[in-house]
Amino acid sequence: PMTRTTRLLRLALLDAAHASAQAEQGGPPAPPSAGLSLWLRSDQGVTTSGTGVTSWADQSGQGVVLNSGTASPPTLTPNALNGLPALPFTGTEQLDGMLSAPVTAGSVFALERYTNPTSPNEYLYSVGTPAGSGSMYSLSRRSGASAYHFDGSRTNIEGSLPHAQFFIASQIYGGNDPTAHRLYRGAETLMQTNASNGYAADGSIRIGNYSSGNFRFKGDLVEFLVYDRALGGQDILRVWQYLRER
């Protein structure tokens, strides 16, 4: 059943969408800039060598750059979504980098899609390294289509993530309760969990795989944002509105 929070978020999202419809020029409204630690756009900051993406530069102003290193680089697929390119991951690629600072409370948003109907354990991203419950931000799809968040110690599985269609995945870490974690698929709440400790992840970030091992993402990524604060309702809606109009 739909929770009160989900109902309020959906109503507010409709209000935001109505307001944005009045702005017929200039593209989608920008997401909030306060606390934006990483902003990866498939149409900006992508460096290629041949067909491979060797680096992906942050557009937040923090100067973060993710590199393929010794891993297979993803390619760049044009016109994947509304004329925008996407970075496809086929199970061999990953990009690594370091945020400008460790994160405690934070928010992560992705415009993505999974390729296959089922996934064994496919990490879209991980931030931090496993050092106890609350030491990692992460999102994976495993055991079929189940949404999976590993917090550095605990496994949290609830809800499902689709394949063959783009969607917005959003996670809010910490805030008023430093142990709290929420996962949304679009405007729907999929998961609400608590770590044993307050979230505190080092700044290491990997896209396309877990922090170690071989649990690789198979799908496409158009946009990825990380904030160093737990966004509230209106700011979450602004990011959703921006991504929905991309």
Side-chain angles (χ1 to χ4, degrees):
M2 188 184 301
T3 66
R4 180 176 182 273
T5 299
T6 300
R7 286 196 297 271
L8 291 173
L9 285 170
R10 286 187 172 179
L11 288 172
L13 185 59
L14 288 173
D15 290 341
H18 175 73
S20 71
Q22 299 175 8
E24 298 179 357
Q25 304 295 327
S33 59
L36 187 54
S37 297
L38 179 68
W39 185 6
L40 299 176
R41 298 177 48 166
S42 62
D43 59 345
Q44 293 185 18
V46 176
T47 301
T48 60
S49 177
T51 60
V53 174
T54 55
S55 66
W56 201 359
D58 169 36
Q59 303 301 304
S60 75
Q62 298 297 320
V64 179
V65 179
L66 274 66
N67 296 286
S68 59
T70 59
S72 298
T75 56
L76 192 65
T77 301
N79 301 316
L81 176 67
N82 300 329
L84 292 171
L87 275 70
F89 292 75
T90 63
T92 60
E93 305 87 353
Q94 67 187 44
L95 294 167
D96 294 299
M98 182 69 69
L99 300 176
S100 58
V103 287
T104 51
S107 308
V108 179
F109 300 85
L111 181 56
E112 59 157 319
R113 71 178 169 191
Y114 285 87
T115 300
N116 298 319
T118 61
S119 302
N121 192 5
E122 298 180 16
Y123 275 83
L124 172 65
Y125 79 93
S126 61
V127 175
T129 51
S133 180
S135 63
M136 292 190 70
Y137 292 8
S138 74
L139 179 62
S140 182
R141 183 176 184 258
R142 63 173 288 181
S143 303
S146 297
Y148 173 44
H149 165 57
F150 180 66
D151 67 12
S153 177
R154 291 181 174 178
T155 59
N156 303 283
I157 303 175
E158 191 172 351
S160 63
L161 300 175
H163 80 286
Q165 64 185 46
F166 282 100
F167 67 98
I168 301 168
S170 315
Q171 290 169 283
I172 311 299
Y173 298 88
N176 292 333
D177 179 353
T179 71
H181 160 258
R182 304 192 308 275
L183 166 65
Y184 301 95
R185 181 190 61 208
E188 180 181 357
T189 304
L190 285 190
M191 186 186 300
Q192 298 185 76
T193 60
N194 290 87
S196 299
N197 310 298
Y199 276 94
D202 67 44
S204 61
I205 180 168
R206 173 168 289 175
I207 291 181
N209 196 5
Y210 179 58
S211 64
S212 61
N214 187 20
F215 304 100
R216 297 179 188 270
F217 175 55
K218 295 179 182 177
D220 300 286
L221 182 59
V222 171
E223 200 134 352
F224 189 83
L225 302 93
V226 179
Y227 287 84
D228 66 0
R229 62 188 179 96
L231 268 59
Q234 290 301 316
D235 281 340
I236 293 172
L237 293 171
R238 285 181 60 190
V239 179
W240 286 353
Q241 180 184 351
Y242 164 75
L243 291 174
R244 283 167 60 93
E245 296 183 21
R246 288 291 277 153

